[in-house]
């Protein structure tokens, strides 16, 4: 039976369902191909005469590598800012803890709270970002994640009391939570498998670079100056993220195939649409098989309370409880809890306080 085209992307035929897009079609009963998309499987491609089946994984050129490195580097400024926010309490405590010469000083109890507020509000930001990135996309959420950080740094620069100091830390904690979720998700959705591992590993390196940068600035400048200079990081991140495209996976899930095609052309080295046609069809096919399009169709009619009701599902709350327990234990046994007190510890050990 010869299938009949019913549009640019249509389901036709009685024995087999075919997906059409210009002059390329993919059979529903043919598994998808691995090696190029964010999922595994096989794919089969044919022209109008159903000849010349291509089973060779697509390898893009060096321009694709440059494009994906640029996109990853742009969003990694979020992680550099994250590291700077984690390292900043150490600098502030060094200058304000029981310092009679300062405009205001911190007691031991206030220092303890200041060192932990950042991590208390971190999960809150992560929880909220999960809802926002599904509705508004990865790129918008990455831009939004910088806003609390900018206000947090500015408030820290102008702080003259413990309350405003705590408030700045709350904003930074929310910014950290906002940024973490979409960073790894975005990297996984835009990169080819051959680059995905190395690009994802840059995240940890970027956060450690941010901590190191804060300590270096703290060695050179007073803590208010460090806070003011740190504002440049989220501002730079916003400027760079504006230049990179949205995730093609999210665009496909929102039925924006044309924008997804343009995004893939950008990420694969600014190539012609014909080059990425097969990968785009695989994304569309995966979106249909996984049911993502059905979930996103419902997102506009479901309110926040109905989404929160999903937490009653054991398949949702059991992994959630496990991950919260994992983060709790990892925080307790790691360097994170006592990082703000690093300077105090080394000073009591006899190291010069400079």
């Amino acid at each position: 039976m010869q299938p009949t085209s019913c549009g640019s992307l249509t389901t036709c035929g009685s024995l087999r369902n075919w997906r059409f897009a210009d002059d390329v079609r993919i059979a529903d009963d043919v598994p998808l191909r691995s090696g190029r998309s964010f999922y595994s499987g096989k794919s089969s491609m044919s022209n109008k005469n159903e000849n010349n089946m291509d089973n060779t994984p697509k390898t893009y050129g060096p321009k694709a590598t440059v494009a994906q490195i640029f996109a990853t580097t742009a969003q990694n400024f979020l992680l550099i800012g994250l590291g700077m926010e984690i390292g900043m309490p150490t600098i502030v405590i060094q200058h304000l803890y029981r310092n009679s010469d300062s405009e205001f000083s911190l007691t031991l109890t206030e220092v303890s709270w200041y060192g932990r507020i950042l991590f208390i509000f971190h999960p809150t930001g992560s929880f909220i970002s999960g809802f926002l990135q599904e509705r508004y996309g990865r790129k918008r959420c990455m831009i939004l994640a910088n806003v609390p950080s900018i206000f947090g740094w500015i408030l820290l620069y102008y702080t003259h009391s413990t309350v405003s100091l705590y408030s700045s830390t709350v904003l930074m904690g929310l910014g950290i939570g906002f940024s973490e979720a979409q960073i790894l998700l975005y990297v996984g959705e835009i990169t080819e498998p051959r680059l995905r591992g190395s690009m994802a590993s840059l995240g940890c390196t970027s956060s450690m670079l941010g901590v190191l940068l804060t300590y270096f600035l703290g060695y050179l400048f007073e803590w208010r100056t460090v806070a003011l200079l740190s504002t440049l990081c989220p501002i730079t991140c916003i400027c760079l993220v504006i230049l990179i495209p949205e995730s093609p996976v999210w665009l496909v899930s929102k039925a924006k195939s044309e924008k997804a095609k343009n995004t893939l052309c950008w990420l694969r080295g600014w190539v012609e649409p014909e080059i990425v046609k097969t990968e785009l069809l695989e994304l569309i096919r995966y979106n249909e098989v996984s049911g993502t399009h059905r979930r996103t169709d419902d997102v506009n009619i479901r309110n926040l309370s109905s989404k929160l009701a999903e937490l009653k599902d054991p398949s949702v709350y059991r992994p959630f409880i496990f991950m919260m327990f994992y983060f709790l234990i990892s925080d307790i046994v790691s360097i994170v809890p006592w990082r703000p007190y690093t300077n105090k510890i080394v000073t009591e050990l006899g190291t010069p306080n400079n």
Side-chain angles (χ1 to χ4, degrees):
M1 177 180 295
Q2 182 69 25
T4 304
S5 176
C6 305
S8 61
L9 187 64
T10 315
T11 304
C12 306
S14 58
L15 298 179
R16 304 170 76 187
N17 291 330
W18 296 86
R19 307 293 177 190
F20 281 78
D22 299 330
D23 61 339
V24 179
R25 60 194 176 193
I26 295 180
D28 279 356
D29 56 347
V30 178
L32 299 177
R33 180 175 66 212
S34 63
R36 186 168 71 257
S37 300
F38 59 95
Y39 57 93
S40 60
K42 293 182 178 179
S43 72
S44 180
M45 174 180 177
S46 65
N47 57 19
K48 290 182 179 180
N49 297 322
E50 302 183 19
N51 296 322
N52 301 324
M53 301 295 288
D54 180 15
N55 291 319
T56 305
K58 180 70 175 179
T59 301
Y60 299 97
K63 287 185 178 181
T65 303
V66 172
Q68 292 167 70
I69 289 177
F70 176 78
T72 304
T73 302
Q75 58 94 42
N76 272 342
F77 269 83
L78 274 172
L79 288 172
I80 295 176
L82 181 151
M84 297 182 73
E85 290 166 344
I86 291 176
M88 191 60 191
T90 304
I91 309 300
V92 175
I93 291 173
Q94 174 188 356
H95 288 86
L96 297 183
Y97 176 60
R98 293 180 179 176
N99 185 359
S100 58
D101 297 330
S102 177
E103 182 179 353
F104 70 99
S105 62
L106 300 176
T107 65
L108 183 60
T109 302
E110 291 171 337
V111 164
S112 178
W113 275 107
Y114 176 60
R116 298 308 300 162
I117 287 178
L118 190 72
F119 303 102
I120 292 175
F121 284 88
H122 176 187
T124 305
S126 298
F127 185 78
I128 297 174
S129 70
F131 296 106
L132 295 180
Q133 67 180 344
E134 178 186 358
R135 185 178 183 88
Y136 299 107
R138 323 304 187 219
K139 181 176 178 178
R140 291 177 183 174
C141 285
M142 285 190 289
I143 294 175
L144 179 63
N146 289 281
V147 176
S149 298
I150 293 175
F151 284 104
W153 286 118
I154 294 176
L155 184 59
L156 179 61
Y157 175 75
Y158 287 105
T159 187
H160 296 285
S161 66
T162 305
V163 174
S164 58
L165 183 66
Y166 288 171
S167 300
S168 67
T169 310
V170 169
L171 291 173
M172 292 181 185
L174 292 174
I176 290 176
F178 264 95
S179 61
E180 277 191 330
Q182 53 262 11
I183 287 175
L184 294 179
L185 187 61
Y186 182 78
V187 171
E189 291 178 348
I190 68 167
T191 54
E192 302 171 63
R194 64 186 178 91
L195 298 173
R196 191 169 300 140
S198 56
M199 293 298 100
S201 66
L202 290 177
C204 182
T205 304
S206 299
S207 61
M208 293 300 101
L209 178 62
V211 175
L212 179 62
L213 180 59
T214 299
Y215 291 164
F216 178 72
L217 292 175
Y219 177 77
L220 297 177
F221 305 105
E222 190 257 350
W223 66 274
R224 290 186 189 273
T225 305
V226 175
L228 184 62
L229 293 174
S230 299
T231 311
L232 296 176
C233 183
I235 293 176
T236 302
C237 183
I238 291 177
C239 295
L240 292 177
V241 170
I242 290 175
L243 300 177
I244 63 178
E246 178 59 84
S247 164
V249 179
W250 183 81
L251 290 172
V252 168
S253 71
K254 294 296 183 179
K256 299 179 180 180
S257 299
E258 187 66 26
K259 291 184 178 180
K261 179 179 67 176
N262 296 333
T263 294
L264 283 174
C265 291
W266 195 100
L267 292 169
R268 300 305 178 249
W270 305 281
V271 296
E272 296 297 325
E274 291 293 325
I275 305 298
V276 300
K277 181 181 295 183
T278 304
E279 184 173 2
L280 176 62
L281 289 173
E282 289 182 354
L283 292 180
I284 295 173
R285 167 67 171 152
Y286 174 81
N287 182 66
E288 295 177 351
V289 171
S290 64
T292 306
H293 65 295
R294 290 190 293 271
R295 292 194 298 270
T296 52
D297 287 341
D298 296 337
V299 73
N300 293 325
I301 61 176
R302 296 170 59 199
N303 53 29
L304 180 60
S305 60
S306 64
K307 291 183 179 181
L308 292 176
E310 293 181 355
L311 294 175
K312 298 179 181 179
D313 186 351
S315 63
V316 175
Y317 72 74
R318 286 176 180 172
F320 181 76
I321 293 175
F322 174 79
M323 292 305 299
M324 293 299 293
F325 180 75
Y326 167 78
F327 284 126
L328 175 64
I329 298 300
S330 63
D331 273 359
I332 292 175
V333 301
S334 69
I335 191 178
V336 173
W338 58 269
R339 189 191 299 274
Y341 314 104
T342 303
N343 185 266
K344 182 177 181 296
I345 292 173
V346 298
T347 300
E348 292 182 354
L349 291 175
T351 305
N353 186 4
N354 57 3

